Amino acid sequence: MSAKANTKADVEIKIMERVQMELQWQLCSETNLALFFPKPVTLDKQRQCWALADIIKKMPEVIEVVIGMNTLSVFTISLTLTELRNVEQALSELLNDMPSKTIEGKHVEIPVHYGGKYGPDLAAMANDLNLSVEDVINLHTEATYTVYFIGFQPGFPYLGGLSESLYFPRHAIPRTQVPAGSVGIGGEQTGVYPFESPGGWQLLGQTDTALFDLTKDSPTLLNAGDTLKFTALDIHE
């Protein structure tokens, strides 16, 4: 092995050791513990969340495990403080030999009407980023995104893989109504609103693709581990 390869391996080991040192279960209530991975958000950390969830949900004291964006929340039955501390210790021991899980999901393409009435924030966001509207759309459609988890609404995908060039803060004052199918960016994430709802994400466009359909055997179009690409149907001013 070359010296360069050795150096790279040493750096990766040190990074993993630092991450493990920073990881610690937080006791949030008498029935809840949470784990937050340090920034930045990565797919590798999400795969560790998926694997940990599979292990933890089999524990007899655990009622539910909720996966977030590089986070886990564990909900337990009613326990004494000593019993809860024992659960915390068992969860902490899992971090010593961190598991990982790769989900071989399906790939989905989502066509989008960009700009105009479909994406009212697109032009202003492009201007603030010193990019053209076409640049924003190209960056948004070039990436292949991974579904980290489903949350907020039934079928709402939280996606990893957004270009750093498109990171943009949410609106300070959320809209009271965001149309169903709206495609937006909030911070370091992009996603699609399955239903009309209040929301603070920057709206780039809108899709006609249904992300949630109760008439189907599997109502949610997307699940954790799936990948997707956005495609531009048209661009409106």
Side-chain angles (χ1 to χ4, degrees):
M1 185 180 290
S2 67
K4 184 177 181 180
N6 277 327
T7 300
K8 182 179 179 181
D10 290 342
V11 169
E12 289 176 348
I13 290 172
K14 288 180 180 178
I15 291 173
M16 287 302 299
E17 289 176 345
R18 185 168 69 248
V19 168
Q20 289 178 344
M21 287 176 62
E22 294 176 2
L23 278 177
Q24 186 174 353
W25 288 96
Q26 298 182 20
L27 191 59
C28 300
S29 75
E30 63 272 17
T31 58
N32 174 232
L33 299 101
L35 182 69
F36 300 91
F37 280 77
K39 297 287 187 181
V41 171
T42 68
L43 180 55
D44 284 341
K45 294 172 188 173
Q46 196 68 19
R47 286 171 172 159
Q48 291 173 338
C49 287
W50 294 337
L52 284 169
D54 284 349
I55 296 170
I56 294 168
K57 66 185 180 183
K58 296 176 183 177
M59 296 172 64
E61 302 91 347
V62 173
I63 296 173
E64 184 180 14
V65 182
V66 178
I67 300 173
M69 187 68 82
N70 283 190
T71 67
L72 283 177
S73 291
V74 177
F75 296 89
T76 71
I77 59 176
S78 181
L79 300 169
T80 66
L81 180 58
T82 299
E83 291 170 335
L84 188 59
R85 289 299 186 188
N86 289 338
V87 171
E88 181 183 17
Q89 179 61 33
L91 294 177
S92 297
E93 289 173 0
L94 293 175
L95 306 182
N96 295 329
D97 186 16
M98 188 70 73
S100 183
K101 175 183 179 181
T102 299
I103 300 175
E104 299 295 339
K106 62 184 177 296
H107 182 73
V108 176
E109 291 194 356
I110 295 182
V112 179
H113 304 283
Y114 281 97
K117 65 179 181 179
Y118 303 104
D121 298 319
L122 176 58
M125 178 178 151
N127 183 68
D128 287 348
L129 291 172
N130 293 316
L131 296 170
S132 68
V133 166
E134 290 74 16
D135 287 338
V136 171
I137 294 170
N138 288 338
L139 286 167
H140 195 248
T141 55
E142 283 173 357
T144 298
Y145 302 94
T146 300
V147 180
Y148 280 18
F149 70 103
I150 302 295
F152 174 56
Q153 295 179 345
F156 188 107
Y158 283 82
L159 306 174
L162 181 67
S163 168
E164 292 184 12
S165 299
L166 295 181
Y167 288 2
F168 203 81
R170 295 166 173 80
H171 286 288
I173 301 175
R175 289 182 171 90
T176 57
Q177 286 186 318
V178 173
S182 292
V183 177
I185 286 177
E188 301 175 10
Q189 301 167 36
T190 186
V192 185
Y193 288 80
F195 302 99
E196 180 181 294
S197 76
W201 287 30
Q202 306 287 338
L203 304 183
L204 307 185
Q206 192 173 3
T207 182
D208 300 317
T209 302
L211 272 69
F212 188 82
D213 185 349
L214 277 175
T215 66
K216 295 184 176 180
D217 292 337
S218 178
T220 57
L221 174 66
L222 298 165
N223 295 287
D226 289 347
T227 59
L228 71 85
K229 285 182 73 72
F230 295 105
T231 60
L233 273 178
D234 41 41
I235 302 173
H236 300 261
E237 294 183 358

